[in-house]
Amino acid sequence: MDLAKSNDHEDKEFNPNPTVKVELEEYENWRTPWKFRLIVRLLGKRVGLRFMSMKLNYLWAKNGDIRVMDVSEDFFFVRFPDEEDYKHALFEGPWLIVDH
């Protein structure tokens, strides 16, 4: 084995933002599980799953039920029924729950 060839990868500069080419269909498959989803955290206060689910459904749900999952460390995974509810929550809010 030629040592000069085996060290070629060490000479290349590290690129922290590489370009990965994928077909549109593959990209759509990758993003489908995350479509109309948000990760939410209430700052400064701890609340349970039931409270967060009831509050977010009251504040954000317009066209259907929002599903809320407790992820951990006070983070919640929120799944919206459609794009309209997702955009309403993301761009219009409200973003304060019990003044936090």
Side-chain angles (χ1 to χ4, degrees):
M1 175 159 87
D2 186 0
L3 290 177
K5 288 184 179 180
S6 66
N7 291 329
D8 280 346
H9 68 281
E10 293 175 10
D11 294 337
K12 294 182 181 178
E13 188 175 324
F14 175 72
N15 179 0
N17 300 308
T19 301
V20 178
K21 294 183 181 186
V22 296
E23 297 293 325
L24 181 59
E25 182 179 352
E26 186 174 7
Y27 170 76
E28 291 295 333
N29 287 336
W30 286 353
R31 77 181 201 124
T32 295
W34 297 98
K35 196 171 185 179
F36 310 137
R37 309 310 198 260
L38 290 177
I39 297 174
V40 175
R41 181 166 188 232
L42 188 62
L43 299 175
K45 189 166 183 88
R46 296 185 85 169
V47 298
L49 174 62
R50 181 179 286 187
F51 177 84
M52 184 64 93
S53 182
M54 287 175 23
K55 203 66 167 164
L56 292 182
N57 269 287
Y58 175 76
L59 295 172
W60 290 346
K62 305 296 179 204
N63 298 321
D65 287 337
I66 292 172
R67 295 198 53 208
V68 181
M69 293 172 32
D70 188 355
V71 180
S72 71
E73 303 295 324
D74 301 323
F75 285 90
F76 297 90
F77 188 67
V78 182
R79 185 176 74 181
F80 296 88
D82 61 23
E83 186 175 10
E84 184 179 347
D85 281 358
Y86 171 77
K87 285 184 175 181
H88 170 73
L90 187 60
F91 298 116
E92 298 172 33
W95 302 296
L96 291 179
I97 298 174
V98 293
D99 298 325
H100 288 268

